[in-house]
Amino acid sequence: MIEFWHLFFTSLAATLAMTAFSYGFSYMVKGNYKEPQLLNYLLAKIPSTKKSFFKSGDIIGWLIHFITGFLFVVLFAIISFHYSIKSTAGVGLIYGFIIGLIGVIIWSILFKLHPSPPKTNRVLFFTQLIIAHIIFGLVMALVLDNL
């Protein structure tokens, strides 16, 4: 099994690559498709939360984002260990696509249940989300393959 620090740094690299894509995409289409900021927005707009605790630049959204990335890397490590799957670029692309679909489902539920969801173009957001996760999976696989 892979050591904790290898998983940690792999998740850091993969999540940063994914997030860089989301930020670049947001800049190109002039919208907010930045997962950490959207998480902060959702948290700040929950009626029962203290407004002073959550700000648009708050670290809570970033923590949730990076913890989720770490959990996806751990899940991959468990699956690859259990089923003897080699970490290759192709496997990373497929895994990224699958977790991208999971991400679309989770974000859809969050937007549907939230009392005041952000006004984002859902088709663009979900498309970039899948692409971002494919990038995540690719970077994850390449880093794990070189450990």
Side-chain angles (χ1 to χ4, degrees):
M1 197 70 162
I2 302 170
E3 291 183 28
F4 169 81
W5 289 109
H6 290 156
L7 296 174
F8 176 78
F9 288 117
T10 298
S11 71
L12 191 62
T15 305
L16 285 172
M18 167 191 173
T19 307
F21 170 78
S22 296
Y23 272 67
F25 183 85
S26 294
Y27 178 78
M28 285 178 28
V29 300
K30 298 181 181 11
N32 185 4
Y33 302 100
K34 305 166 188 168
E35 296 86 1
Q37 287 186 9
L38 291 171
L39 286 167
N40 281 327
Y41 176 90
L42 291 172
L43 290 169
K45 296 293 182 178
I46 296 172
S48 62
T49 60
K50 292 183 179 180
K51 301 299 180 216
S52 61
F53 185 71
F54 295 106
K55 300 178 188 85
S56 62
D58 201 71
I59 195 157
I60 301 297
W62 284 96
L63 286 173
I64 293 169
H65 187 55
F66 278 99
I67 289 169
T68 303
F70 179 74
L71 293 175
F72 276 132
V73 169
V74 169
L75 176 64
F76 178 80
I78 292 168
I79 291 169
S80 65
F81 179 77
H82 189 318
Y83 294 103
S84 300
I85 298 171
K86 186 160 170 42
S87 181
T88 65
V91 168
L93 292 171
I94 293 167
Y95 184 71
F97 179 74
I98 292 168
I99 64 173
L101 293 177
I102 293 169
V104 167
I105 292 167
I106 291 169
W107 279 98
S108 295
I109 292 168
L110 288 173
F111 289 152
K112 187 165 186 74
L113 295 178
H114 199 276
S116 179
K119 293 175 178 22
T120 58
N121 179 323
R122 299 293 197 275
V123 172
L124 271 179
F125 177 63
F126 294 147
T127 300
Q128 79 78 33
L129 191 66
I130 290 173
I131 296 168
H133 280 88
I134 289 170
I135 292 168
F136 176 96
L138 178 62
V139 170
M140 177 201 69
L142 294 174
V143 172
L144 286 175
D145 189 41
N146 290 302
L147 293 178

